[in-house]
Amino acid sequence: MKKVLIICTSNKTRSPLAMEIANMTARNLNAPYVFESAGLAAVGTAIDENVRTVLKEKGIETSHIPKHISEYDINDFDSVHVMTQRQKITLCSYFKNKIVEEKIVVLEIEDPYYKGI
């Protein structure tokens, strides 16, 4: 089973949405992947309501609670996906004593937080 960690800034919008859709897709295709998500600056106890609405429209219920990257061992993942190049730089700095750079994929997805559904 391949493990993928998807990271955004707050773990309230982009990464939980991507995680839930990717896990649903992997299950539907019987693909050997599991996705988790985290934030570089995660705070709070709930994901964005717009994300919850979009997931509901896709038939996905979630109980996701934002998590900070410090809650994970980066070595447990085969791949780490970040939303921006800046997040890649931050992540490499955060894990400076661990080999992570070759695991990182930059998705280039801008933050939709203030843009509505």
Side-chain angles (χ1 to χ4, degrees):
M1 182 75 63
K2 298 278 186 180
K3 287 183 71 176
V4 178
L5 181 61
I6 305 170
I7 296 173
C8 67
T9 303
S10 67
N11 196 222
K12 292 182 178 188
T13 309
R14 293 173 286 182
S15 59
L17 181 64
M19 173 194 70
E20 295 290 3
I21 291 172
N23 278 322
M24 179 187 71
T25 302
R27 281 190 305 274
N28 290 344
L29 297 174
N30 203 24
Y33 288 90
V34 64
F35 299 85
E36 296 188 42
S37 70
L40 294 170
V43 294
T45 59
I47 63 172
D48 182 73
E49 282 305 313
N50 288 337
V51 170
R52 196 173 302 284
T53 298
V54 169
L55 289 172
K56 256 187 192 172
E57 289 174 2
K58 296 196 165 294
I60 301 171
E61 293 291 330
T62 185
S63 59
H64 179 74
I65 297 170
K67 295 179 183 171
H68 188 267
I69 56 169
S70 64
E71 296 181 49
Y72 292 100
D73 181 346
I74 202 78
N75 295 309
D76 290 343
F77 295 92
D78 299 291
S79 180
V80 177
H81 295 204
V82 296
M83 301 297 149
T84 66
Q85 185 66 30
R86 184 178 189 104
Q87 289 173 344
K88 177 180 179 178
I89 293 165
T90 302
L91 191 63
C92 288
S93 175
Y94 186 84
F95 290 107
K96 60 185 165 197
N97 295 327
K98 298 178 182 174
I99 301 169
V100 298
E101 189 166 1
E102 66 268 6
K103 291 183 177 189
I104 299 174
V105 175
V106 179
L107 301 173
E108 293 300 343
I109 298 173
E110 66 179 77
D111 195 346
Y113 189 72
Y114 293 106
K115 297 182 180 176
I117 253 180

